[in-house]
Amino acid sequence: MSISSEHKPLGKQVTGSLHMLSPIVELNVGGEMYTTTLSTLKKHPGSKLAEMFTGQPKLRTDSEGRFFIDRPGTYFKYILEYLRSNQVPTQCIQDVYKEALFYDIEPLIKQLEDSPQIFGELVARRQFLARVPNYSENIELMIRIARAEAVASRQSSVIVCVVRTEEDAARCQDALNSLDMDKKSMVKFGPWKAVPSISDLLDCIQMDVEAKGYKISFQPHVAEKGFRFKSHDFFYKFLFTWW
């Protein structure tokens, strides 16, 4: 017996309004195949995901007629599970959070932001780094300097000056004036008004550079001569390893 058109999976037909087609939907999300219902996808009417399946079809289809969404398919299963059962994922939190933001599923976004991983990143770490002047720009500057010095080398180094207070900044400037080094190749972080320490900031720098795919380590940088203060109070050498 042939199956009537109203029971065929949505995605095999792409003409007409979606509400006139089958409630069963076949999806290709970044190469991962899913089957669900139209009501599941439209569970949160204000979301971008619901909008994709409201009114006229807005998505392209693959060679099998499945609606195609050009996003990482691995994490869509967590989005789908939330829509089906309100179950908040406990795995791949950072990646699922990115997808929840893309699909604009507000209830899931808020629940994920309450998780320790996202809360710690957004409320604690990111709020701290927002108080460190030019933090993101300095990360990019470090990478540019390291890449420029990487020619025919296994490692390249970047000297970083870290000062937490205005007083330290003044002392650091005095120290810089006595150092025999190329000040243009040094990157300065701080000062800042927040609880985290210099070691916390150093960990953040390493974390964010590694997140960009680089292999990096750091150690105190000790001046060889003519230095009135302990150089490791301010200066650190970050080593980029290329191979």
Side-chain angles (χ1 to χ4, degrees):
M1 179 182 296
S2 63
I3 300 175
S4 61
S5 61
E6 65 266 21
H7 295 297
K8 291 181 180 179
L10 181 61
K12 301 299 183 182
Q13 304 179 44
V14 293
T15 59
S17 298
L18 289 174
H19 72 273
M20 298 176 64
L21 302 177
S22 169
I24 308 301
V25 183
E26 289 188 354
L27 299 172
N28 177 345
V29 185
E32 298 282 340
M33 310 308 166
Y34 294 94
T35 301
T36 186
T37 66
L38 189 59
S39 60
T40 295
L41 295 171
K42 297 172 65 175
K43 184 174 181 179
H44 298 285
S47 69
K48 181 177 179 180
L49 183 61
E51 178 61 24
M52 291 178 181
F53 296 93
T54 300
Q56 296 294 327
K58 302 172 179 64
L59 297 171
R60 296 181 179 180
T61 57
D62 66 10
S63 59
E64 297 296 321
R66 292 175 289 242
F67 285 112
F68 179 73
I69 302 177
D70 194 11
R71 295 295 295 181
T74 303
Y75 310 115
F76 189 74
K77 63 182 178 182
Y78 299 110
I79 299 292
L80 204 53
E81 185 60 32
Y82 176 78
L83 295 174
R84 287 168 171 164
S85 62
N86 290 322
Q87 180 176 327
V88 179
T90 57
Q91 303 177 53
C92 308
I93 300 297
Q94 297 281 357
D95 294 303
V96 176
Y97 179 66
K98 293 177 184 177
E99 297 310 296
L101 289 173
F102 173 79
Y103 294 114
D104 194 22
I105 304 173
E106 192 64 29
L108 178 56
I109 291 171
K110 289 181 178 178
Q111 290 184 69
L112 288 173
E113 287 178 348
D114 284 337
S115 69
Q117 299 93 322
I118 304 297
F119 179 87
E121 174 68 15
L122 295 181
V123 177
R125 199 175 84 92
R126 284 296 162 189
Q127 287 296 317
F128 158 53
L129 296 178
R131 302 184 184 188
V132 180
N134 303 314
Y135 177 81
S136 297
E137 293 85 347
N138 283 342
I139 293 292
E140 295 301 326
L141 177 58
M142 286 179 63
I143 292 172
R144 288 199 301 272
I145 293 172
R147 291 174 68 93
E149 296 182 359
V151 178
S153 301
R154 184 171 187 178
Q155 291 183 321
S156 54
S157 63
V158 179
I159 303 301
V160 168
C161 175
V162 183
V163 291
R164 184 175 178 181
T165 67
E166 295 289 351
E167 179 182 2
D168 283 347
R171 295 175 66 209
C172 179
Q173 188 58 50
D174 289 342
L176 274 175
N177 293 335
S178 67
L179 271 179
D180 182 19
M181 63 178 291
D182 182 3
K183 299 177 181 60
K184 293 182 180 179
S185 65
M186 189 207 69
V187 182
K188 177 186 173 185
F189 287 85
W192 64 87
K193 294 181 179 179
V195 173
S197 65
I198 286 177
S199 63
D200 294 325
L201 180 65
L202 293 170
D203 288 341
C204 286
I205 294 171
Q206 181 175 11
M207 185 185 307
D208 288 329
V209 174
E210 287 179 340
K212 295 179 180 292
Y214 296 91
K215 184 177 180 180
I216 188 174
S217 62
F218 66 88
Q219 61 192 39
H221 175 63
V222 180
E224 296 179 356
K225 60 181 180 178
F227 205 63
R228 291 187 294 162
F229 308 107
K230 292 186 296 182
S231 59
H232 59 262
D233 284 347
F234 307 117
F235 298 99
Y236 297 84
K237 178 185 290 186
F238 279 80
L239 290 173
F240 288 72
T241 301
W242 302 104
W243 50 275

